[in-house]
Amino acid sequence: MSPSPATHYRGQIAAMATKHHKAQLVSPVLAEILGLDVVEIEVDTDTLGTFSGEIERTASPHDTAIAKARMGMDASGHRIGIASEGSIGPSQSIPFLQVCTELVVLVDDIRGIVITGTESAYDLVAVSADVDPTSDLADLLRRAQFPAHAVIVSALGASVPTVIKGIQDLVTLHAAVRTCTERSPHGRARVETDLRAHKCPSRQPIITRAARDLADRAATACPACSAPGFGLIRNDIGVPCSWCGYETNTLRARIHGCVSCAVEHSEIIQPELADPGHCPWCNP
Ligand SMILES: [Zn+2]
Ligand SMILES: [Zn+2]
């Protein structure tokens, strides 16, 4: 009998490249579910781009996460690497809402696979406002959940970028607003949430839930080739309306797949016809 997939990683060591002590957000669930030991490798991963966009990311978040994991593997010599990467953008399903998506990847050069855990959330604290030294910041700071969440202040439109990060007290904040206002040709400073994980408590549980998704996948063996990492790869949307036959956005099946071989299993959710209540023609 092949060993259970949880034992694939039991007692093994994974390198996690991070600048901001993110390992504490992922290592407890990886230890609990997989028995995998995560060691933090201090590497400046900002060269790959930053969440807040001062250094533009050129690759997709997934490719960036894999590149980060490889930085930790290269620096340490470990053949398993972990990395996390977040992105924030408009929701595809809910208009006017921002969604935060966190990825945690496990790059496994022993088996030649990459396993990815994800989590999306709408409750990330993220504010942005342009101010000057006379502005009343009380409402903005309440929405920003300051000082538990840090803010960044930058000089709006300045030819030489002036960015002051990690601000968590009022004295530093007011001084930063004055400095950035003076350096802005418009006399305005931008105050926004510091989205780096160690300065943004509302991001931290999202990363931990992505790590749990990763661990659950890594603990699930492929029924065909027994590689670890079997799990949901996509949702199959589109079921005809039972009244008019129009293809509604109802979930038809969840497709589970392997990271190593081509096998896919459909978990049928709604096989035949959709409720007209979900049809844009019958129930607009
Ligand atoms: Zn219909
Ligand atoms: Zn397989």
Side-chain angles (χ1 to χ4, degrees), residues 41-52:
I41 309 293
E42 185 107 3
V43 177
D44 186 3
T45 54
D46 280 358
T47 53
L48 298 171
T50 60
F51 192 98
S52 45

Side-chain angles (χ1 to χ4, degrees), residues 35-284:
L36 179 68
D37 195 8
V38 177
V39 293
E40 202 161 88
I41 309 293
E42 185 107 3
V43 177
D44 186 3
T45 54
D46 280 358
T47 53
L48 298 171
T50 60
F51 192 98
S52 45
E54 304 103 334
I55 303 173
E56 204 186 330
R57 266 193 313 228
T58 49
S60 71
H62 190 238
D63 289 344
T64 304
I66 292 170
K68 261 188 207 178
R70 292 212 171 279
M71 286 171 86
M73 293 160 78
D74 291 346
S76 65
H78 292 300
R79 297 182 70 199
I80 301 172
I82 300 280
S84 104
E85 183 70 9
S87 53
I88 183 166
S91 164
Q92 300 294 314
S93 47
I94 307 171
F96 310 115
L97 250 163
Q98 296 279 322
V99 62
C100 170
T101 303
E102 297 288 349
L103 303 176
V104 181
V105 298
L106 184 155
V107 177
D108 178 348
D109 275 356
I110 299 166
R111 296 167 192 83
I113 57 175
V114 175
I115 306 173
T116 307
T118 64
E119 173 72 9
S120 294
Y122 296 94
D123 55 357
L124 181 74
V125 172
V127 304
S128 178
D130 297 340
V131 305
D132 64 43
T134 66
S135 303
D136 181 0
L137 302 180
D139 178 59
L140 175 67
L141 295 181
R142 205 165 27 247
R143 286 189 290 116
Q145 295 186 24
F146 180 89
H149 283 71
V151 295
I152 290 178
V153 180
S154 57
L156 206 63
S159 52
V160 180
T162 302
V163 181
I164 301 161
K165 295 196 213 178
I167 299 168
Q168 284 183 291
D169 69 89
L170 282 174
V171 174
T172 310
L173 174 64
H174 289 303
V177 168
R178 272 196 308 277
T179 303
C180 290
T181 304
E182 283 162 13
R183 295 190 190 171
S184 162
H186 317 295
R188 306 283 282 170
R190 178 159 291 171
V191 178
E192 56 197 333
T193 303
D194 189 336
L195 292 165
R196 293 175 297 164
H198 64 302
K199 294 287 179 187
C200 186
S202 61
R203 229 189 116 189
Q204 293 166 7
I206 312 172
I207 295 171
T208 299
R209 293 201 297 273
R212 182 169 290 279
D213 180 48
L214 167 69
D216 288 341
R217 283 168 190 266
T220 306
C222 172
C225 76
S226 82
F230 194 79
L232 181 69
I233 50 172
R234 65 177 183 276
N235 286 320
D236 192 350
I237 306 286
V239 180
C241 168
S242 66
W243 285 2
C244 74
Y246 180 85
E247 190 163 281
T248 66
N249 287 331
T250 306
L251 179 64
R252 191 191 70 80
R254 293 195 185 96
I255 312 297
H256 300 264
C258 176
V259 296
S260 191
C261 75
V263 76
E264 287 188 1
H265 283 186
S266 294
E267 177 199 346
I268 303 295
I269 305 298
Q270 177 132 13
E272 305 271 321
L273 296 168
D275 184 336
H278 298 297
C279 173
W281 295 107
C282 299
N283 185 27

